[in-house]
């Protein structure tokens, strides 16, 4: 954990500098009150998006700190989007060495082993992301997501987790919820042409746009990941997407087999079908809720990501994080699903808000 | 054609495909990246634009050091850096250029549009129809976006649904009775700015209201020989914001049901300016672009200036034009990237708004309205690019049963943020992809051929190089390579009224108009009419006969009584409709018409605000899906 503590020190130092900048602005900025004005450079660069979400949202964005655990095609799309949008800082945590498999869906890794050889995914991508927007601090956070602790987590406003085991996701989500500071938690997985996003904003209040009227303050209360995945299936609406159930079966199978996420293939199908039967029996629902063909697709996908689906998931996730930071606009509560097969991008509220 | 053979695998289809991407901007950058990652390896890119700073927040292939360079070339180079083994050919050119003809289009398996204006979209649609190449069309604004698929004979073409023509305003609303801030902007930009700094030979409606009885001068906007710049600026100020309003107030009829405007004079808004006539100012910032805001110490473009501040900015900007940019005067056209022009227009629009009791706006907001700036974020473009590639792969596999148009929504509808809808069938009354004649109501005794060509054939029908025939008589042809006597003859015809053309155009005459480049030909039946409503029919002619297919469908299908009942029947279907907003498709189309970076050079058009869009929403109950079979 040496690397991590050095990183913390580094980041704290950066935050101090930020603090000084803010302090100076408060003392020296005439006319604008306590709020720091956007610089002319920021106004020119962000002109088109300020027209979408306003100056206040842009200021909030520039003060937000984001951690991404797990670097893949989908999270890199997300990173690109929020770096362009102008978040305060982005930290990447993924110590895995880059392999040829990473090239398929990750546009930040060049097809040149002399560039990526011997470097971690986070290191290679960090360099490219810095270029996208010099006003955003992009850094590598070395370490293992399954070991990160509260003091470290406290440095962030947003944590996005991908290609991590269910255990790690639950651990990080639980940690976020224990902190006194409000930390938004997201997890995202792309399985070839299908994708799932989970959102936990804990207690979230935001301004809801009312057509023709003044925006209204809204309050939402989110369930934890543990709560969201352990709802009795028979309580859920008949129209709940099949992907929700299929992902839970797969997750459960991977966890009990001790597999890394996506480390599955079609040869696992018989065992996964047994798992489906087991879970459906326990939940008193019919197995037909989870079509075999869907499980086959997910198993065949393994770790493969379909680039257009990465773009869609990374775009939706980027938008959600911007909504949550700016406290503006209806956020997803609490799952989002995309399936290339029917083209729908649908939200699910699980357990349903009564 | 549509064989019974199983569609090729996605990988094979993608590998073998040659695709054309039109536009390398917001959507284009995302699209090129996603295409390259998805295994496409033969891509042509066309874009005529160069890179600007305000692109960098979303067009992620570009860096600050690229500002001013070709989007197509830089995008190509950026992609080749991480995928060196694919073939990308970039064209820094206008897609309407002659080199991109039907034969050029024929070499591609699919065309993907990431364009920013209606004109180019229509042009590409026609070339795709002529070349029989499928088109995947897209657009975004803010958090909204859409992707549609157009395959000749299978789905509707891009123009099967009439497109809303960018809004223009009745002249009198702009010159005399503004009621919205946008009217003041149009006045400041199209009339005042154009009058003072633009081409003096252009018609300008500001003339009408500039009769100055007390002066013998022919044009009050001309500077007197002995007049210093301050005097000149103040005189113009008093004339347009004071005197002209007083003159307008004399017409009691106009103000019967309207709030009366207040004349504004410089002696009231800036009493000190009048006294310190001819004072010298600090002109220290010679090295920088002249800016009235900068010389007055105003720093925040988000702030709404007071009437006095607006007046100071106006006078200062006016003087800076004469002091620092005198050579350009007479040739200036408003440009949203010209800081001094934006300052001038903002200040002038605000002073006029004050006069008419309309809320004032910040420079940032005014710039958006004046420059037709369309809201744009990276996330929507990325999502739309992903959806384009998904549809492109279906097109390549000839998987037409699964074609979808997809809407990206800001607020979920039936839980959906991405809403797929089955494509519509071709509209049998579409003048572009079917051969249905159009109808033109026009006063043939007073309307010149030129007006019909400009307002109808070029502007409404979107033809680039039109040819006009009456029976077998050719009355007009556009383009290079004309004989001198032909050209002279056509020029003569342009100035003739319709009824006096070599082959007279009267009630019942059929015009044939063609564009060889677009391989488009259509007929227009003429109906003579003498009266036109100046407010509702400002062109003095009305084109019709090209209607949406939806009404017919409702009549011919008894089951589709209401959107709500039919959509609940399809609840488990692959596609979804929105029962709460049956007009969704139409409304989105309209919202999205002013897409990414809409062409700012087109005059007197403005970005619609939400209210206007709702009003535009014609007949929302009639939208139905029509299954493809």
């Amino acid at each position: 954990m040496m690397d991590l503590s050095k990183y913390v020190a580094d980041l704290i130092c950066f935050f101090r500098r930020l603090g000084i900048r803010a302090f100076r602005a408060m003392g020296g900025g005439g006319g604008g009150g306590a709020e720091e004005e956007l610089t002319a450079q920021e106004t020119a660069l962000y002109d088109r998006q300020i027209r979408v979400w306003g100056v206040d949202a842009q200021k909030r964005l520039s003060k937000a700190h984001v951690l991404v655990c797990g670097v893949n095609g989908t999270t890199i799309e997300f990173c690109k989007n929020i770096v362009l949008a102008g978040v305060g800082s982005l930290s990447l945590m993924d110590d895995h060495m880059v392999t040829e498999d990473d090239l398929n869906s990750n546009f930040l890794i060049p097809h040149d082993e002399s560039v990526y050889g011997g470097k971690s995914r986070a290191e290679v991508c960090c360099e490219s992301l810095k270029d996208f927007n010099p006003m955003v601090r992009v850094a590598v956070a070395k370490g293992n997501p399954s070991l990160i602790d509260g003091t470290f987590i406290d440095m962030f406003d947003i944590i996005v987790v991908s290609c991590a085991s269910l255990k790690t996701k639950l651990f990080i989500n639980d940690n976020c919820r224990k902190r006194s500071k409000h930390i938004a938690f997201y997890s995202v997985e792309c399985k070839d042409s299908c994708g799932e996003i989970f959102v936990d904003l804990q207690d979230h209040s935001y301004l809801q746009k009312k057509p023709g009227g003044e925006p209204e303050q809204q309050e939402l209360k989110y369930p934890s990941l543990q709560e969201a995945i352990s709802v009795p299936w028979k309580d859920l609406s008949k129209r709940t997407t099949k992907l929700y159930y299929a992902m839970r079966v797969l997750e459960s199978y991977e966890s009990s087999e001790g597999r890394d996420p996506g480390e599955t293939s079609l040869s696992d199908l018989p065992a996964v079908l047994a798992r489906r039967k087991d879970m459906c029996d326990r939940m008193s629902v019919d197995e037909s809720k989870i079509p075999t063909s869907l499980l086959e697709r997910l198993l065949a996908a393994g770790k493969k990501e379909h680039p257009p689906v990465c773009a869609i998931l990374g775009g939706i996730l980027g938008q959600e994080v911007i909504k949550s930071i700016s406290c503006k606009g209806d956020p997803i509560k609490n799952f989002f699903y995309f399936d290339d097969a029917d083209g729908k991008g649908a939200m699910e509220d699980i357990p349903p808000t009564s | 054609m549509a064989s019974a053979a199983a569609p090729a695998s996605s990988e094979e289809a993608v590998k073998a495909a040659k695709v054309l991407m039109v536009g390398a901007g917001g959507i284009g950058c995302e699209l090129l990246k996603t295409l390259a990652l998805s295994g496409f390896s033969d891509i042509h890119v066309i874009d005529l634009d160069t890179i600007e700073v305000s692109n960098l927040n979303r067009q992620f292939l570009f860096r600050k050091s690229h500002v001013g360079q070709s989007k197509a070339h830089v995008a190509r180079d950026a992609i080749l850096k991480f995928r060196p083994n694919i073939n990308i050919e970039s064209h820094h050119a206008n897609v309407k250029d002659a080199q991109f003809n039907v034969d050029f289009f024929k070499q591609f398996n699919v065309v993907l549009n990431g364009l920013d204006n209606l004109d180019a979209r229509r042009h590409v649609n026609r070339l795709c129809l002529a070349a029989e190449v499928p088109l995947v069309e897209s657009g975004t604004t803010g958090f909204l976006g859409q992707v549609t698929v157009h395959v000749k004979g299978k789905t509707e073409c891009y123009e099967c649904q009439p497109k809303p023509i960018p809004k223009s305003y009745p002249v009198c609303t702009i010159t005399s009775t503004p009621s919205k801030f946008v009217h003041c902007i149009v006045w400041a930009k199209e009339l005042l700015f154009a009058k003072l700094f633009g081409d003096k030979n252009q018609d300008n409606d500001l003339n009408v209201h500039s009769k100055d009885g007390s002066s013998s001068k022919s044009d009050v906007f001309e500077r007197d020989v002995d007049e210093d710049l301050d005097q000149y600026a103040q005189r113009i100020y008093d004339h347009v914001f004071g005197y002209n309003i007083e003159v307008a107030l004399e017409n009691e009829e106009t103000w019967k049901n309207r709030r009366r405007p207040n004349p504004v004079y410089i002696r009231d808004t800036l009493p000190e300016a009048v006294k310190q006539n001819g004072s010298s100012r600090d002109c220290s910032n010679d090295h920088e672009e002249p800016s009235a805001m900068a010389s007055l110490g105003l720093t925040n473009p988000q702030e709404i200036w007071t009437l006095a501040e607006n007046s100071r900015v106006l006078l200062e900007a006016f003087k800076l034009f004469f002091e620092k940019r005198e050579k350009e005067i007479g040739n200036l056209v408003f440009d949203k990237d010209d800081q001094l022009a934006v300052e001038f227009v903002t200040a002038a629009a605000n002073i006029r708004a004050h006069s008419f009791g309309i809320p004032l706006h910040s420079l940032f907001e005014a710039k958006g309205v004046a420059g037709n700036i369309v809201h744009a974020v990276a996330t929507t473009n990325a999502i739309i690019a992903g959806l384009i590639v998904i549809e492109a792969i279906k097109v390549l596999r000839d998987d037409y049963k699964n074609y979808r148009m997809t809407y990206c929504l800001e607020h979920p509808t039936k839980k959906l943020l991405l809403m797929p809808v089955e494509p519509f069938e071709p509209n049998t009354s579409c003048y572009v992809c079917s051969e249905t004649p159009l109808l033109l109501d026009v006063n043939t005794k007073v309307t010149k051929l030129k007006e019909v060509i400009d307002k109808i054939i070029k502007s409404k029908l979107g033809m680039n190089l039109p040819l006009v025939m009456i029976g077998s008589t050719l009355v007009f042809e556009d383009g290079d390579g004309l004989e001198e006597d032909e050209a002279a003859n056509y020029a003569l015809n342009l100035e003739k009224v319709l009824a006096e053309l070599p082959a007279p155009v009267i009630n019942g005459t059929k015009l044939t108009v063609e564009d060889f480049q677009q391989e488009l030909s259509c007929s227009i039946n003429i109906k003579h009419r003498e009266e036109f409503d100046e407010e509702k029919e400002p062109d003095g002619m009305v084109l019709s006969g090209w209607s949406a297919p939806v009404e017919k469908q409702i009549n011919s299908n008894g089951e589709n009584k209401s959107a709500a009942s039919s959509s609940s029947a399809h609840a488990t279907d692959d596609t979804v409709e929105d029962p709460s907003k049956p007009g969704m498709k139409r409304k989105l189309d309209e919202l999205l018409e002013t897409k990414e970076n809409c062409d700012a050079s087109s005059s007197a058009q403005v970005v619609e605000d939400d209210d206007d869009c709702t009003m535009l929403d014609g007949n929302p109950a009639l939208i139905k899906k029509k299954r493809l079979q």
Side-chain angles (χ1 to χ4, degrees):
Chain A
M1 293 306 286
M2 275 306 287
D3 282 321
L4 199 55
S5 56
K6 183 184 170 296
Y7 177 76
V8 171
D10 188 28
L11 206 59
I12 287 171
C13 176
F14 168 71
F15 279 39
R16 284 221 184 93
R17 267 186 282 136
L18 256 189
I20 288 164
R21 197 180 122 201
F23 174 76
R24 279 203 192 121
M26 273 186 247
E35 277 289 330
E36 197 179 344
E37 299 292 352
L38 295 178
T39 65
Q41 193 192 5
E42 285 168 319
T43 309
L45 176 65
Y46 301 134
D47 184 283
R48 296 302 184 272
Q49 66 197 39
I50 292 174
R51 293 177 194 279
V52 177
W53 51 60
V55 184
D56 282 343
Q58 191 62 50
K59 286 182 191 162
R60 284 183 196 230
L61 271 176
S62 70
K63 291 181 189 121
H65 304 285
V66 181
L67 172 68
V68 170
C69 301
V71 170
N72 54 22
T74 307
T75 50
I76 278 307
E77 281 282 347
F78 163 76
C79 291
K80 172 206 70 195
N81 293 335
I82 57 154
V83 168
L84 289 171
V87 290
S89 76
L90 168 68
S91 302
L92 299 176
M93 181 177 276
D94 192 329
D95 293 347
H96 292 89
M97 290 298 133
V98 173
T99 68
E100 232 168 90
D101 287 342
D102 293 314
L103 305 178
N104 293 326
S105 57
N106 190 326
F107 61 90
L108 293 183
I109 307 177
H111 268 212
D112 181 353
E113 221 191 316
S114 69
V115 176
Y116 67 74
K119 287 187 188 153
S120 74
R121 291 175 191 159
E123 283 167 341
V124 175
C125 296
C126 174
E127 289 313 305
S128 312
L129 279 168
K130 278 179 183 168
D131 274 355
F132 286 0
N133 187 348
M135 283 186 260
V136 176
R137 180 183 188 271
V138 187
V140 175
K142 285 195 176 175
N144 184 341
S146 66
L147 300 170
I148 59 180
D149 65 8
T151 17
F152 178 72
I153 282 180
D154 272 349
M155 294 190 298
F156 301 97
D157 306 287
I158 305 281
I159 298 185
V160 173
V161 185
S162 190
C163 42
S165 67
L166 176 62
K167 195 177 155 210
T168 301
K169 286 180 185 171
L170 290 168
F171 166 77
I172 297 175
N173 179 241
D174 198 41
N175 255 307
C176 288
R177 294 180 78 89
K178 278 185 192 148
R179 311 310 298 174
S180 57
K181 181 189 175 194
H182 185 277
I183 302 165
F185 173 90
Y186 298 83
S187 89
V188 59
E189 293 303 335
C190 175
K191 296 206 169 277
D192 197 12
S193 54
C194 298
E196 178 186 68
I197 296 174
F198 168 77
V199 182
D200 177 10
L201 303 183
Q202 303 177 40
D203 293 309
H204 182 64
S205 64
Y206 68 101
L207 281 179
Q208 187 181 46
K209 245 207 240 164
K210 286 277 165 190
E214 284 290 296
E216 240 169 59
Q217 190 78 25
Q218 289 285 331
E219 312 286 333
L220 285 177
K221 201 169 178 63
Y222 281 75
S224 68
L225 178 58
Q226 183 67 65
E227 286 160 339
I229 62 168
S230 33
V231 180
W233 290 356
K234 60 179 190 321
D235 293 354
L236 296 178
S237 149
K238 283 194 183 67
R239 297 172 66 173
T240 304
T241 176
K242 297 172 167 58
L243 263 175
Y244 170 81
Y245 305 105
M247 291 295 282
R248 302 293 77 78
V249 171
L250 221 64
E251 202 171 69
S252 157
Y253 178 74
E254 283 175 356
S255 301
S256 63
E257 295 289 304
R259 304 275 182 91
D260 275 350
E263 236 181 336
T264 47
S265 69
L266 268 182
S267 61
D268 294 303
L269 186 63
V272 167
L273 291 181
R275 171 74 44 153
R276 171 181 72 179
K277 181 173 190 314
D278 190 43
M279 289 175 84
C280 286
D281 287 353
R282 201 152 29 87
M283 299 281 197
S284 325
V285 296
D286 197 275
E287 274 186 77
S288 65
K289 229 179 184 41
I290 315 168
T292 306
S293 59
L294 180 59
L295 289 172
E296 274 173 358
R297 278 172 67 204
L298 296 176
L299 282 175
K303 288 181 178 173
K304 184 169 180 275
E305 298 169 286
H306 189 35
V309 179
C310 295
I312 291 166
L313 293 172
I316 296 282
L317 186 59
Q319 230 147 276
E320 285 307 309
V321 164
I322 290 163
K323 281 187 211 166
S324 120
I325 294 171
S326 61
C327 299
K328 252 183 170 175
D330 297 313
I332 288 174
K333 181 166 181 289
N334 52 345
F335 286 94
F336 174 83
Y337 290 93
F338 180 80
D339 187 350
D340 172 330
D342 62 13
K344 287 185 198 171
M347 292 174 20
E348 296 289 350
D349 187 11
I350 300 172
T353 314
S354 46
Chain B
M1 291 288 297
S3 63
S9 84
S10 300
E11 286 78 11
E12 291 165 33
V14 163
K15 221 178 248 168
K18 182 166 186 175
V19 303
L20 172 64
M21 225 183 85
V22 192
I27 294 173
C29 281
E30 295 287 342
L31 183 55
L32 195 56
K33 170 254 316 168
T34 305
L35 285 173
L37 283 174
S38 305
F40 285 84
S41 53
D42 196 357
I43 309 169
H44 279 240
V45 190
I46 304 177
D47 197 310
L48 84 159
D49 270 349
T50 52
I51 296 158
E52 289 174 33
V53 171
S54 61
N55 299 150
L56 304 179
N57 79 317
R58 62 197 186 286
Q59 301 177 15
F60 74 100
L61 300 175
F62 309 146
R63 304 282 169 270
K64 208 156 187 190
S65 59
H66 296 133
V67 169
Q69 297 181 38
S70 152
K71 286 188 177 178
H73 297 330
V74 175
R76 169 187 180 270
D77 294 347
I79 294 294
L80 288 181
K81 247 182 216 166
F82 79 95
R83 290 296 180 271
N85 299 325
I86 65 174
N87 176 49
I88 305 177
E89 221 163 289
S90 54
H91 308 266
H92 180 207
N94 189 335
V95 70
K96 289 171 85 175
D97 289 351
Q99 55 172 316
F100 307 121
N101 55 16
V102 175
D103 281 337
F104 174 85
F105 273 72
K106 275 186 177 154
Q107 64 181 306
F108 299 104
N109 300 99
V110 63
V111 174
L112 313 174
N113 267 359
L115 279 163
D116 62 3
N117 67 86
L118 179 64
D119 205 34
R121 284 192 171 94
R122 293 167 71 171
H123 187 83
V124 172
N125 179 49
R126 290 161 192 200
L127 282 159
C128 285
L129 286 167
E132 303 204 25
V133 179
L135 168 66
V136 182
E137 172 61 72
S138 69
T140 66
T141 168
F143 292 124
L144 300 175
Q146 67 179 9
V147 174
T148 54
V149 188
H150 308 283
V151 183
K152 191 175 181 179
K154 289 194 177 122
T155 68
E156 62 176 10
C157 83
Y158 174 68
E159 294 173 271
C160 276
Q161 307 288 344
K163 297 289 174 263
I165 302 296
K167 193 162 187 171
S168 61
Y169 296 94
V171 173
C172 59
T173 305
I174 302 303
T175 57
S176 322
T177 54
S179 57
K180 289 180 169 180
F181 185 66
V182 56
H183 302 147
C184 301
I185 286 283
V186 174
W187 177 86
K189 180 174 104 163
E190 306 290 330
L191 300 183
L192 187 60
F193 183 86
K195 181 78 196 164
L196 290 167
F197 309 119
D199 183 353
K200 298 275 189 277
N201 299 320
Q202 289 270 318
D203 287 348
N204 190 314
D205 289 305
L206 206 58
N207 277 327
V208 185
H209 295 269
S210 60
K211 277 176 275 168
D212 191 337
S214 65
S215 164
S216 57
K217 280 196 303 290
S218 59
D219 189 345
V220 283
F221 289 95
E222 288 297 315
R223 185 174 174 181
D224 289 343
V225 224
D226 54 351
E227 201 172 31
D228 76 29
L229 209 43
D230 288 287
Q231 287 169 332
Y232 180 34
Q234 290 178 19
R235 187 169 58 78
I236 297 294
Y237 184 105
D238 282 350
H239 182 83
V240 298
F241 300 113
Y243 175 80
N244 274 358
I245 301 288
E246 304 251 25
V247 172
L249 280 168
E250 286 167 17
N251 188 351
E252 289 296 334
E253 198 60 31
T254 314
W255 312 109
K256 255 187 181 164
N257 299 309
R258 288 189 176 92
R259 181 192 175 281
R260 296 170 66 87
N262 297 313
V264 176
Y265 288 99
I266 198 78
R267 60 175 179 268
D268 304 320
T269 49
L270 290 177
E272 77 280 5
V274 183
K275 278 172 229 144
Q276 48 172 249
N277 222 344
S279 70
S280 67
R281 286 160 302 105
D282 175 25
C283 296
S284 54
N285 61 339
D286 275 337
H287 55 288
E288 282 189 10
E289 193 190 2
S291 155
M293 270 179 83
S295 30
L296 295 170
L298 294 165
T299 52
N300 185 0
Q302 312 279 346
E303 176 181 66
I304 298 173
W305 301 325
T306 62
L307 179 61
E309 281 168 331
N310 276 296
S311 303
R312 262 185 226 112
V313 170
L314 186 86
L315 295 180
E316 183 66 22
F318 184 92
K319 286 193 281 182
L320 284 172
F321 269 117
F322 279 91
E323 285 171 353
K324 310 269 169 147
R325 298 173 58 179
E326 196 168 8
K327 282 186 196 135
E328 298 167 65
I329 291 175
N331 298 312
L332 276 164
V333 179
F334 177 81
D335 175 356
K336 68 179 189 317
D337 298 313
D338 179 343
Q339 170 71 15
L340 194 58
V342 172
E343 292 171 347
F344 180 89
V345 164
T346 303
N350 273 331
I351 300 166
R352 187 164 171 85
H354 173 87
S355 216
F356 283 86
I358 297 165
L360 308 196
H361 287 69
S362 71
L363 177 117
F364 178 82
E365 293 164 318
K367 180 180 169 183
V369 179
N372 282 326
I373 296 176
V374 176
H375 308 171
V377 287
T379 49
T380 317
N381 289 335
I383 294 166
I384 289 301
L387 293 168
I388 294 173
V389 175
I390 287 175
E391 289 311 316
I393 293 174
K394 289 184 209 165
V395 166
L396 294 172
R397 298 180 66 197
D398 202 17
D399 185 13
Y400 61 89
K401 285 194 175 149
N402 285 313
Y403 291 171
R404 294 289 179 270
M405 5 189 218
T406 307
Y407 296 105
C408 178
L409 308 173
E410 180 170 6
H411 305 288
T413 294
K414 280 182 81 180
K415 302 198 299 187
L416 296 182
L417 281 170
L418 302 176
M419 184 168 71
V421 180
E422 284 186 31
F424 288 75
E425 279 186 354
N427 176 357
T428 50
S429 72
C430 172
Y431 74 92
V432 180
C433 68
S434 80
E435 274 157 25
T436 309
L438 295 158
L439 183 69
L440 181 66
D441 283 29
V442 62
N443 187 339
T444 56
K445 291 176 189 160
V446 301
T447 311
K448 291 176 182 171
L449 178 63
K450 183 180 194 306
E451 292 175 73
V452 175
I453 289 177
D454 289 347
K455 291 181 183 168
I456 301 295
I457 299 172
K458 285 191 176 167
S459 158
K460 293 237 161 58
L461 301 185
M463 288 195 177
N464 201 16
L465 300 170
L467 169 156
V468 183
M469 284 186 15
I470 302 155
S472 57
T473 313
L474 186 58
V475 293
F476 179 76
E477 200 179 345
D478 210 339
D480 307 327
L482 293 175
E483 298 291 336
E484 220 167 272
D485 55 332
E486 281 179 326
N489 194 20
Y490 295 146
L492 224 56
N493 284 346
L494 282 181
E495 295 304 323
K496 287 184 182 157
V497 298
L498 296 175
E500 285 160 18
L501 283 165
V505 174
I506 52 168
N507 194 42
T509 304
K510 184 167 143 186
L511 294 186
T512 306
V513 293
E514 289 183 30
D515 186 310
F516 285 131
Q517 194 194 357
Q518 299 176 345
E519 289 200 4
L520 175 65
S521 167
C522 58
S523 319
I524 305 177
N525 292 323
I526 299 293
K527 188 179 162 205
H528 176 73
R529 164 147 70 107
E530 311 222 326
E531 300 285 316
F532 289 90
D533 185 326
E534 200 190 313
E535 290 270 324
K536 288 180 191 145
E537 303 162 337
D539 287 339
M541 37 193 149
V542 178
L543 185 73
S544 55
W546 148 47
S547 55
V550 282
E551 292 159 77
K552 204 164 48 190
Q553 197 184 337
I554 299 253
N555 296 338
S556 67
N557 188 346
E559 289 167 28
N560 292 339
K561 280 176 203 134
S562 79
S565 64
S566 80
S567 82
S568 57
H570 292 301
T572 54
D573 208 327
D574 283 334
T575 56
V576 190
E577 285 185 299
D578 173 14
S580 64
K581 298 176 203 158
M584 180 61 87
K585 174 175 158 40
R586 191 69 328 104
K587 181 162 178 186
L588 274 164
D589 278 348
E590 276 151 8
L591 269 173
L592 294 167
E593 208 39 66
T594 25
K595 283 158 188 156
E596 255 265 308
N597 276 347
C598 219
D599 191 1
S601 62
S602 43
S603 62
Q605 302 166 7
V606 278
V607 174
E608 301 297 340
D609 57 41
D610 288 347
D611 303 336
D612 283 336
C613 283
T614 322
M615 278 163 50
L616 276 167
D617 204 350
N619 204 345
L622 296 175
I623 303 303
K624 288 265 83 244
K625 80 177 168 192
K626 193 163 183 182
R627 296 182 148 274
L628 273 178
Q629 206 45 274

